[in-house]
Amino acid sequence: LFSKKLATIIRDVPIEFDIQNADWRTNMKKEELGKMLQDLGIYSLLKRISELDGEPAMTQASLMEGTDERVKVVPVGSLKQVKDLVRDIVSQKYFAFDITFDPDLKGPGHLAFALDDKTARALPWSLFESDKGVPEEIKAVFENVKIKKAGHDLKDLFKNLSRKGVHPALAGKGGVHAGGLDFDTKIAAYLVNSDLKDYDLDRVYFAEFGRNIDPNPLKRAAYVNELRKPQREKMRSLDLLWVFEKIEVPLAPVLAEMEISGVKIDKKAIKKLSDSIYKEISKFEKKIYKHAGMEFNINSPQQLSTVLFEKLQLKGKVKKTGKGAISTAASELEKLADEHPVIDLILRYRELQKLSTTYIEPFPALVQKDGRLRTTLNQTGTTTGRLSSQNPNLQNIPIRTELGQEFRKAFVADKGHSLVSFDYSQLELRIAAHISGDKKMSEAFKRGEDIHTRTAAEIFGVPAEKVTPNMRREAKVFNFGLLYGMGILGLQRAAKITREQAREFTDRYMAEFSGVARYMQAMRDAVHNDRYVKTIFGRRRQFREIDSQVMEVVRQAERMAINMPIQGTAADLLKLAMIKISGLIHEEGKENEVRMLLQVHDELLFEVKDGLVKEWGAKVKEIMENIWKLNVP
Ligand code: CTP
Ligand code: MN
């Protein structure tokens, strides 16, 4: 009876319930909801609040009229209107602009200008293709460095303009590079808060003013103009203006040019590589089948688990998956490695397959008609200030393995050119020495010592001359791991040493480089006190999660707070160097002979015309080494 009572739903609880009142539509407090969605960062729903009134999603007609009455769209179609626009721009020496390619508008899109918050003047792109003489006047205002320009995502705007033969502020000599590009509302939002997922204009605008922008894309230029003032104020109060004006804004056109350049890919080399990997993979397959005594699908966890645990009767303790099957994740398989040689084969088989499917196979399709591959360099994609690379990501190609090296060979130079790469030596450690003021590390650098080699000598117990490139590479893992808070277990695994050794090396390192150890503690304290840390140039990263109740989250934030000033300063230095190098290329009019192609954290890749390699190699090296004076070379 008790069981029956427990299982019975009580249906006569005294609650007041009225179906009419329960309809969420009738009682919706739109303002509160809007506020809540904003706090939660649910912008996709936020944009649809107006639909709650039963209004259908925006139709094409209402799109053109828009929802924001404060901003008017004025078409610029006649020659007279163009002249008026240019005259106003010249007298104001400033404009905000945007480019639309909206398919909903069923036209070629527009170039929209705003000189104030209330009016967007929209020029159809088609004017640029006509012979009315418009292009030269518009071109002139873009290329006049004395006229300041603001936009949302200058890098992208620059790319679109240069497709039309307009080169904002790159014209002319004398390092005027990018002088006219003045304000980027996307970058400003990113500098103020670097941990958002995207920096679309509607989101940035809403966060600033608590209002939705009009869906009519022609009005965007006016919103950009409106955002400028409060954003500049914010950056001023957070001391971010230097990074904004001297690093990020001038960098945008540099990145645009790199994206336009792209890297030449030798498709045949990729084909060869992919064939040889395929052969290798089938060799592994055969060996695995032989051990298993049968053929099966190695990629199926189910079948693999049957082979390992039923057929081969492996006994090691491994985790179960959610569904109760035995896990065949790499981390679990590793535990079985000593039991059977097939495990090692499976792990290597998987590694090859991953390399092949994630990097090599998709590659040829991404190469464009001219044989070049174009990545997107995301300027607002990391919390530390580093650049990130997308579609495809060219920054994480595993170049350190043998196959990775082979892969790298598929990146080639144009005929009559060479690829020239510049990689900073121990950049982050040098920055660590500079920021922490660590005496021993600074002196070591001044003597020209190599810290990675030194750590390697200690780990492997050999004299420094006997350290091989491989040993140095493993020591690097240890150095970075230690500096960025990997923990004893991680270090032990990464450097393949025992727990005791990991502990001993860590203690010795911290005692020897006590300044670095103090720096680490100082950053931990700083993030708890201030909730942010910054680079030597003032770029910030904030840590709201530092007050979390979850210990792991707090520890993670502390580790990142130690990492960010070092990695972020490295990123700042690279960006400064890129701007200066690009400036020199333009100043000397060598755009076609010397092209910057890629940045991989502390490395720059160029394509240089044969005959200029020596001269420009020296110039680039000079700039990179002297871009900022630190207390160590
Ligand atoms: N990096 C890392 N862990 C590694 C290797 C590299 O975190 N095991 C990261 C670091 O942020 C490092 C950057 O990648 O600054 C560039 O790597 P690399 O040039 O290999 O490091 P350096 O210290 O500059 O060494 P080297 O003198 O060989 O260039
Ligand atoms: Mn390096």
Side-chain angles (χ1 to χ4, degrees):
L1 284 179
F2 178 65
S3 295
K4 178 171 185 281
K5 188 177 168 198
L6 259 183
T8 305
I9 294 170
I10 301 169
R11 286 175 299 178
D12 54 357
V13 177
I15 52 166
E16 278 172 41
F17 178 75
D18 170 4
I19 190 86
Q20 217 75 61
N21 276 330
D23 181 355
W24 57 274
R25 273 169 229 272
T26 21
N27 296 306
M28 178 65 63
K29 297 191 181 80
K30 271 205 284 181
E31 229 146 78
E32 276 174 45
L33 176 69
K35 177 91 189 40
M36 191 178 89
L37 290 174
Q38 188 195 354
D39 288 346
L40 294 170
I42 306 178
Y43 288 86
S44 49
L45 288 182
L46 193 55
K47 276 188 251 174
R48 297 180 51 198
I49 284 192
S50 68
E51 289 176 34
L52 288 174
D53 299 331
E55 282 175 18
M58 300 280 167
T59 61
Q60 221 148 275
S62 69
L63 188 67
M64 275 312 286
E65 276 157 28
T67 53
D68 183 354
E69 310 249 309
R70 300 170 317 123
V71 182
K72 296 270 170 293
V73 176
V74 178
V76 179
S78 72
L79 211 51
K80 158 129 192 1
Q81 286 166 319
V82 171
K83 283 218 155 69
D84 288 347
L85 172 65
V86 169
R87 190 200 55 225
D88 291 350
I89 287 174
V90 169
S91 89
Q92 196 158 323
K93 292 197 171 51
Y94 158 82
F95 63 88
F97 74 109
D98 193 56
I99 295 172
T100 67
F101 290 99
D102 203 313
D104 285 348
L105 293 176
K106 290 239 172 75
H110 287 75
L111 181 55
F113 295 83
L115 298 176
D116 55 43
D117 299 346
K118 298 200 183 67
T119 324
R121 301 202 231 177
L123 227 96
W125 265 129
S126 54
L127 271 188
F128 283 72
E129 270 106 45
S130 71
D131 48 6
K132 285 184 199 150
V134 179
E136 285 315 313
E137 288 178 271
I138 295 293
K139 234 177 118 167
V141 295
F142 271 107
E143 295 184 352
N144 182 343
V145 295
K146 294 209 181 96
I147 296 174
K148 307 284 182 219
K149 292 121 206 154
H152 191 80
D153 199 343
L154 289 175
K155 184 190 70 169
D156 222 46
L157 293 167
F158 181 99
K159 270 172 77 177
N160 286 323
L161 284 172
S162 63
R163 282 196 192 108
K164 301 275 174 191
V166 182
H167 299 283
L170 285 179
K173 299 197 167 194
V176 291
H177 197 73
L181 295 178
D182 184 57
F183 202 96
D184 188 324
T185 47
K186 184 177 185 186
I187 293 172
Y190 165 70
L191 286 181
V192 168
N193 178 8
S194 64
D195 54 23
L196 299 182
K197 222 173 70 219
D198 70 72
Y199 294 89
D200 292 342
L201 183 63
D202 48 358
R203 179 175 184 153
V204 170
Y205 188 89
F206 193 97
E208 188 62 50
F209 298 112
R211 283 195 303 270
N212 284 312
I213 64 170
D214 193 306
N216 179 351
L218 295 178
K219 296 186 181 178
R220 289 166 52 100
Y223 297 123
V224 168
N225 186 68
E226 193 180 358
L227 270 169
R228 210 167 44 112
K229 273 181 222 96
Q231 283 191 328
R232 191 182 285 280
E233 251 340 286
K234 242 181 221 159
M235 287 192 288
R236 191 193 312 282
S237 71
L238 297 174
D239 267 336
L240 284 165
L241 281 176
W242 199 91
V243 173
F244 183 72
E245 286 166 2
K246 298 286 193 264
I247 300 182
E248 294 300 339
V249 171
L251 183 69
V254 177
L255 297 179
E257 291 194 321
M258 291 166 76
E259 289 183 6
I260 291 169
S261 287
V263 194
K264 190 161 178 175
I265 299 292
D266 180 354
K267 278 199 189 178
K268 281 200 206 110
I270 294 210
K271 177 85 177 57
K272 240 172 82 189
L273 180 62
S274 131
D275 287 349
S276 81
I277 288 189
Y278 188 76
K279 261 192 216 135
E280 196 84 349
I281 288 177
S282 42
K283 252 193 242 159
F284 275 112
E285 248 168 19
K286 289 210 185 79
K287 282 191 199 158
I288 292 167
Y289 294 159
K290 205 163 163 208
H291 279 295
M294 62 186 269
E295 288 196 11
F296 67 103
N297 179 0
I298 307 168
N299 296 320
S300 150
Q302 200 95 50
Q303 295 188 26
L304 181 61
S305 145
T306 311
V307 166
L308 293 182
F309 302 110
E310 286 169 29
K311 192 123 199 297
L312 297 177
Q313 301 268 313
L314 297 189
K315 293 274 178 315
K317 257 198 229 155
V318 293
K319 278 193 198 135
K320 300 231 164 131
T321 66
K323 287 177 193 150
I326 290 170
S327 169
T328 56
S331 54
E332 296 303 305
L333 288 185
E334 270 168 20
K335 296 180 192 164
L336 304 169
D338 294 337
E339 260 190 87
H340 202 286
V342 75
I343 300 293
D344 187 49
L345 292 173
I346 292 168
L347 289 171
R348 284 164 64 191
Y349 164 89
R350 278 199 189 159
E351 211 176 290
L352 274 182
Q353 193 134 50
K354 175 156 185 234
L355 187 72
S356 155
T357 52
T358 54
Y359 296 108
I360 295 163
E361 275 169 31
F363 239 69
L366 296 168
V367 177
Q368 293 170 344
K369 271 204 211 92
D370 62 352
R372 297 180 83 94
L373 178 80
R374 289 177 172 85
T375 177
T376 302
L377 295 164
N378 192 345
Q379 207 175 348
T380 57
T382 71
T383 47
T384 55
R386 273 185 168 188
L387 294 173
S388 66
S389 151
Q390 282 165 315
N391 309 324
N393 184 346
L394 292 182
Q395 290 181 322
N396 74 347
I397 288 169
I399 58 160
R400 287 173 169 96
T401 62
E402 221 172 281
L403 265 172
Q405 288 291 346
E406 280 303 307
F407 192 17
R408 226 183 191 206
K409 286 188 193 148
F411 290 71
V412 293
D414 244 349
K415 220 179 175 171
H417 290 68
S418 300
L419 290 182
V420 189
S421 146
F422 302 77
D423 185 310
Y424 275 104
S425 150
Q426 314 167 76
L427 179 61
E428 284 176 30
L429 291 181
R430 287 171 200 271
I431 292 168
H434 171 84
I435 297 183
S436 70
D438 188 285
K439 273 222 173 66
K440 277 213 178 128
M441 200 182 268
S442 304
E443 276 161 18
F445 277 128
K446 281 177 194 155
R447 281 194 303 270
E449 266 180 49
D450 184 318
I451 306 282
H452 292 316
T453 304
R454 182 167 156 167
T455 304
E458 284 207 27
I459 291 180
F460 295 98
V462 296
E465 319 78 76
K466 288 268 160 63
V467 169
T468 64
N470 253 331
M471 291 160 121
R472 185 174 180 272
R473 198 149 42 231
E474 284 186 21
K476 238 187 236 186
V477 179
F478 185 88
N479 276 340
F480 289 123
L482 191 75
L483 191 56
Y484 300 145
M486 200 182 237
I488 298 292
L489 188 67
L491 290 171
Q492 177 191 337
R493 286 217 182 115
K496 302 191 182 72
I497 48 183
T498 66
R499 194 176 173 74
E500 290 69 46
Q501 278 174 316
R503 195 179 292 284
E504 193 194 314
F505 288 141
T506 305
D507 289 346
R508 215 187 299 163
Y509 189 100
M510 294 301 183
E512 167 139 35
F513 300 126
S514 56
V516 174
R518 270 197 303 278
Y519 158 81
M520 293 168 80
Q521 190 51 46
M523 287 307 110
R524 270 186 217 110
D525 294 344
V527 67
H528 281 285
N529 291 334
D530 311 331
R531 289 181 178 64
Y532 75 89
V533 294
K534 57 182 183 168
T535 69
I536 65 175
F537 300 101
R539 181 192 302 279
R540 302 156 60 98
R541 172 166 183 193
Q542 54 179 21
F543 295 91
R544 274 186 280 246
E545 69 271 31
I546 197 70
D547 298 320
S548 167
Q549 300 295 312
V550 184
M551 225 31 191
E552 193 34 53
V553 173
V554 177
R555 293 283 167 266
Q556 170 79 3
E558 289 175 354
R559 283 196 290 274
M560 291 187 300
I562 293 169
N563 166 284
M564 188 275 174
I566 298 173
Q567 212 162 73
T569 299
D572 288 341
L573 290 174
L574 258 292
K575 287 175 173 178
L576 284 168
M578 290 163 76
I579 293 163
K580 193 153 181 198
I581 294 163
S582 164
L584 188 66
I585 292 170
H586 284 286
E587 205 177 305
E588 303 208 354
K590 289 281 184 287
E591 293 88 349
N592 292 319
E593 289 89 349
V594 184
R595 276 181 300 210
M596 196 179 335
L597 304 184
L598 282 179
Q599 187 245 53
V600 186
H601 308 317
D602 75 334
E603 175 181 0
L604 294 176
L605 182 70
F606 293 82
E607 187 171 38
V608 185
K609 191 163 186 174
D610 292 339
L612 290 179
V613 172
K614 250 208 163 133
E615 179 197 340
W616 276 84
K619 282 180 175 169
V620 170
K621 183 166 184 271
E622 221 283 319
I623 292 178
M624 285 174 77
E625 286 179 352
N626 296 298
I627 194 63
W628 200 261
K629 196 159 170 32
L630 302 180
N631 297 331
V632 294

